[in-house]
């Protein structure tokens, strides 16, 4: 059998399961070069749990830099504005900084606080469907899956409604630049979008300084002004992360999840007949579609032995979350969509210290959005064949470019 490459795996967006099975057969832990980077890739559930909890792996690359080295493009202080490589947020810090940063925003994302958003999320879902109801067709991504989470996170952060569409352009450009290793044009566009997006965040912060309100951004600005809990760079980084992570992955959950249900009509009808299954259906769709297929990079702080192989200090490790979620050693019939699945400890939100802060929000948005779609659009169906559904060139993300539906 011809050896499969990571490029082959990530190119199989619509049906990635056979490719991941082949990847796993080539070894639970293997060396790869992807997008010009050498790395170890873990593909099994057990190994990924082990690695995500291993304190010998750091998500903070600066821990491996020489003393006094400043990871700031063009020199200067890291406390000043820097592009993504110099950001300090939840996805690239370890203890104790990670706990400090997470504590500052965690109260806004507890299940209790998120549940209070249910009426507003329901209103947004209904308003979006009201706008297209008479048309009988829509692009579910552009008209529903994207605007719903971006409205929610924008309102939480106090972002003006007229600015939300620009986020879509910026995040699309950034994601596509990360998925195009050989395209200098796309990479340059991605860097430009990063700079524009971060400059927008800086302007938003300046506005909240002058005109504070009840938004989460104003809360973080007040913390930063105290001077001992949040630096300027951390403030910029945190708001940027919340704006991007707060909607991009949920868009993928809603798009991929709806597509999966439309392709599995037995599961669709089961859910229609019993809306009480929505919580378990969302968990199964998170497992089955895994909106973020690959974890952020981690680096070994010391040599680590796994499967008689040595991950050397400084080497990169990434974990295939989708591979874990379809591992037959953990899930019965893993390539089957089953919204009645009982044992479902999936890893779509990661595991350990960096478990996704926004998991309660994503779950609620998924339940409300899909529940509203199925209730209000009983004749919902694909407007094209499943093979014609287009995906973005977004590296390891499973991101639909569009999902044409009729109803």
């Amino acid at each position: 059998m011809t050896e499969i490459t990571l490029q082959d795996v990530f190119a199989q967006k619509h049906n990635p399961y056979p490719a991941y099975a082949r990847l796993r057969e080539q070894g639970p832990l293997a060396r790869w070069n992807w997008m010009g980077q050498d790395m170890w890739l873990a593909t099994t559930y057990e190994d990924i749990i082990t690695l995500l909890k291993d304190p010998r792996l750091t998500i903070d690359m600066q821990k491996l830099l020489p003393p006094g080295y400043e990871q700031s493009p063009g020199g200067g202080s890291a406390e000043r504005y820097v592009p993504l490589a110099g950001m300090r947020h939840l996805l690239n810090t370890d203890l104790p900084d990670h706990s400090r940063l997470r504590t500052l925003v965690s109260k806004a994302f507890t299940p209790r606080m998120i549940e209070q958003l249910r009426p507003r999320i329901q209103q947004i879902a209904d308003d979006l469907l009201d706008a297209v109801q008479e048309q009988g067709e829509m692009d579910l991504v552009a008209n529903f899956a994207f605007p719903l989470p971006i409205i929610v996170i924008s309102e939480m952060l106090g972002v003006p409604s007229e600015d939300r569409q620009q986020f879509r352009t910026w995040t699309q450009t950034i994601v596509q630049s990360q998925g195009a290793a050989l395209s200098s044009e796309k990479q340059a566009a991605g860097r430009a979008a990063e700079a524009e997006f971060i400059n927008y965040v800086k302007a938003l912060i300046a506005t909240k300084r002058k005109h504070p309100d009840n938004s989460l951004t104003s809360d973080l600005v007040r913390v930063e002004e105290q001077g001992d809990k949040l630096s300027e760079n951390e403030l910029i980084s945190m708001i940027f992360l919340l704006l991007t992570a707060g909607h991009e992955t949920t868009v993928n959950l809603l798009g991929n999840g709806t597509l999966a249900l439309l392709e599995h009509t037995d599961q669709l009808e089961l859910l229609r007949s019993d809306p009480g299954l929505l919580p378990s259906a969302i968990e199964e769709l998170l497992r089955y579609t895994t909106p973020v297929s690959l974890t952020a990079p981690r680096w070994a702080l010391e040599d680590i032995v796994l499967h008689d192989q040595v991950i050397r200090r400084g080497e990169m490790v990434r974990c295939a979350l989708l591979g874990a979620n379809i591992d037959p050693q953990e899930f019965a019939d893993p390539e089957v969509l089953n919204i009645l699945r009982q044992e479902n400890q999936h890893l779509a939100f990661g595991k350990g210290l960096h478990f996704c802060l926004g998991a309660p929000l994503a779950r609620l948005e998924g339940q409300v959005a899909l529940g509203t779609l199925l209730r209000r659009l009983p004749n919902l169906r694909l407007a094209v064949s499943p093979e014609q559904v287009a995906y973005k060139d977004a590296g390891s993300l499973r991101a639909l470019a569009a999902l044409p539906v009729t109803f």
Side-chain angles (χ1 to χ4, degrees), residues 59-117:
I59 205 166
D60 183 358
M61 188 180 184
Q62 293 191 13
K63 289 186 176 180
L64 293 166
L65 299 177
Y69 184 92
E70 198 73 79
Q71 189 185 12
S72 177
S77 169
E79 294 302 306
R80 301 173 65 85
Y81 154 65
V82 290
L84 299 190
M87 283 193 158
R88 301 289 292 169
H89 51 59
L90 297 176
L91 293 186
N92 62 9
T93 54
D94 291 322
L95 296 174
D97 284 343
H98 182 88
S99 293
R100 173 175 56 84
L101 295 174
R102 195 177 184 104
T103 298
L104 296 175
V105 294
S106 60
K107 291 181 181 179
F109 290 92
T110 62
R112 177 177 171 273
M113 293 298 292
I114 292 302
E115 182 60 31
Q116 295 178 15
L117 296 175

Side-chain angles (χ1 to χ4, degrees), residues 190-218:
R191 288 192 294 270
E194 290 172 11
E196 291 173 9
F197 202 158
I198 297 172
N199 282 332
Y200 175 85
V201 171
K202 293 176 66 181
L204 177 66
I205 291 169
T207 298
K208 299 305 180 185
R209 288 195 199 280
K210 292 181 180 179
H211 308 286
D213 52 25
N214 294 323
S215 68
L216 182 53
T217 298
S218 285

Side-chain angles (χ1 to χ4, degrees), residues 23-63:
L23 191 66
R24 192 166 50 246
E25 289 169 1
Q26 291 177 198
L29 183 69
R31 288 292 298 270
W32 298 94
N33 183 285
W34 185 55
M35 293 175 59
Q37 295 180 314
D38 290 323
M39 66 178 186
W40 291 94
L41 181 69
T43 57
T44 67
Y45 189 95
E46 182 178 0
D47 286 349
I48 289 173
I49 289 285
T50 298
L51 290 169
L52 291 182
K53 291 185 174 183
D54 194 327
R56 296 173 297 174
L57 286 175
T58 179
I59 205 166
D60 183 358
M61 188 180 184
Q62 293 191 13
K63 289 186 176 180

Side-chain angles (χ1 to χ4, degrees), residues 333-400:
D333 300 318
E335 297 181 18
V336 174
L337 180 66
N338 176 14
I339 66 171
L340 298 177
R341 190 180 296 272
Q342 297 298 310
E343 297 297 324
N344 195 357
Q345 299 298 314
H346 63 77
L347 301 183
F349 293 121
K351 196 72 174 180
L353 179 66
H354 293 91
F355 182 83
C356 178
L357 175 73
L361 179 58
R363 286 179 162 122
L364 179 59
E365 288 173 334
Q367 291 175 27
V368 172
L370 285 181
T372 304
L373 272 177
L374 299 186
R375 185 182 72 253
R376 292 194 48 177
L377 306 179
N379 297 315
L380 183 68
R381 58 190 181 275
L382 286 173
V384 297
S385 68
E387 294 73 23
Q388 291 177 300
V389 174
Y391 290 81
K392 297 179 191 174
D393 178 14
S396 62
L397 294 181
R398 294 185 72 189
L400 289 171

